[in-house]
Amino acid sequence: MKKTTSNLFIVPYFLWIVLFVLAPVAMIIWNSFFNIEGGFTLENYRTYFASQNLTYLKMSFNSIFYAGIVTLVTLLVSYPTAFFLTQLKHKQLWLMLIVLPTWINLLLKAYAFIGIFGQDGSINQFLSFIGVGPQQILFTDFSFIFVASYIELPFMILPIFNVLDDLDPNLINASRDLGANRWDTFRRVIFPLSMNGVRSGVQSVFIPSLSLFMLTRLIGGNRVITLGTAIEQHFLTTQNWGMGSTIGVVLIIAMLLIMWATKERRDR
């Protein structure tokens, strides 16, 4: 009876996986073998990997490049932030304040930064006040990386904070008792034991950053072209679902490779 009941609890999980994970992926793979007229073809993949001027391969490089920068920036900010939070008395409250912005719609946050970075925005008003004069901040690589990093920041802080908060204080005390200073304790004890949180944070930030398209339009002004932008254009503008699906397949493969590259490896 207990086994039957436990099996029933698994059914919703499998239904969710099949309907909302496997089925969409299968549809994307299937559509990638059809051209805009609906005929079966491998031309989409040939176009992707051997197009004139290597357009799509350059776009793939741009996606990886910008996703890597966003991930690096969030990691450099998130690790010391998460480490500092674990030292605070009301750390859960401060953590909640960091997580709160994730409850706000992404589009609203993007438009807020348009107002901040615009020619008449608060930053340019401040620059004019101090005599520097207004600068072109919006529609630049800097604005895109800054906003993308800000949006992804909580997803890097959370896993690192959870791992650091669960560290056994006795390990740190033992390191100090054996004569290690704070830097050696961090380098040889704290950081290696927190790598699981770093890996999870990198996955949580790098993978979504590969397919950003809303920010590339609103904040980057189409100066930053990524695979997500190309997928949107093919599905909504050119109506070439086959090519859009092909890019989606490549993006899925890239995400799987990132998950494999950042997974935990145990020494045998």
Side-chain angles (χ1 to χ4, degrees):
M1 182 65 181
K2 290 183 178 179
K3 186 175 181 180
T4 304
T5 304
S6 62
N7 289 336
L8 289 176
F9 287 133
I10 298 175
V11 171
Y13 171 77
F14 278 107
L15 285 175
W16 180 274
I17 293 296
V18 171
L19 294 176
F20 299 105
V21 179
L22 297 180
V25 170
M27 291 176 63
I28 290 174
I29 296 174
W30 174 258
N31 285 327
S32 68
F33 293 105
F34 292 88
N35 57 28
I36 196 169
E37 289 84 18
F40 186 85
T41 182
L42 296 176
E43 185 66 19
N44 294 327
Y45 287 95
R46 191 197 70 80
T47 302
Y48 185 92
F49 290 103
S51 62
Q52 189 177 10
N53 299 325
L54 302 176
T55 302
Y56 291 103
L57 291 179
K58 291 178 181 178
M59 199 178 299
S60 301
F61 174 79
N62 281 341
S63 297
I64 295 172
F65 176 73
Y66 283 108
I69 292 179
V70 170
T71 303
L72 179 62
V73 170
T74 55
L75 178 60
L76 293 177
V77 175
S78 297
Y79 199 99
T81 302
F83 186 80
F84 177 72
L85 285 176
T86 59
Q87 313 300 314
L88 299 178
K89 183 177 180 181
H90 302 290
K91 52 190 173 184
Q92 296 297 337
L93 174 62
W94 289 107
L95 184 65
M96 185 188 70
L97 294 177
I98 291 175
V99 174
L100 276 178
T102 62
W103 299 359
I104 301 174
N105 184 271
L106 177 61
L107 187 61
L108 294 178
K109 287 189 281 190
Y111 276 111
F113 275 105
I114 289 176
I116 294 172
F117 289 151
Q119 286 285 39
D120 297 323
S122 55
I123 292 181
N124 272 323
Q125 288 180 5
F126 175 75
L127 292 176
S128 299
F129 175 76
I130 62 177
V132 176
Q135 303 293 319
Q136 180 61 45
I137 302 174
L138 194 62
F139 306 144
T140 61
D141 290 353
F142 167 79
S143 63
F144 170 75
I145 293 171
F146 183 92
V147 176
S149 300
Y150 164 79
I151 290 173
E152 300 290 351
L153 204 60
F155 303 105
M156 181 72 79
I157 292 177
L158 276 172
I160 297 176
F161 172 85
N162 289 333
V163 171
L164 291 175
D165 196 42
D166 289 338
L167 283 182
D168 188 353
N170 292 324
L171 296 174
I172 300 174
N173 294 333
S175 175
R176 299 277 178 82
D177 291 340
L178 292 172
N181 55 35
R182 290 188 175 183
W183 169 245
D184 287 332
T185 299
F186 172 79
R187 182 169 58 91
R188 297 188 178 185
V189 179
I190 297 176
F191 187 73
L193 291 177
S194 65
M195 280 306 296
N196 284 339
V198 173
R199 292 189 189 97
S200 298
V202 169
Q203 291 179 359
S204 301
V205 172
F206 190 92
I207 292 176
S209 298
L210 279 175
S211 56
L212 289 173
F213 69 91
M214 184 187 300
L215 294 183
T216 58
R217 288 190 178 281
L218 297 178
I219 305 298
N222 281 339
R223 285 172 52 88
V224 180
I225 304 298
T226 63
L227 292 178
T229 308
I231 292 173
E232 182 213 15
Q233 288 177 344
H234 281 300
F235 272 96
L236 300 182
T237 305
T238 66
Q239 298 294 308
N240 190 350
W241 289 20
M243 195 63 221
S245 297
T246 301
I247 301 172
V249 170
V250 175
L251 192 58
I252 291 172
I253 294 173
M255 292 177 179
L256 292 175
L257 289 175
I258 295 301
M259 293 179 67
W260 175 82
T262 55
K263 73 176 182 178
E264 182 182 3
R265 289 174 171 81
R266 299 175 183 269
D267 295 332
R268 295 183 178 179

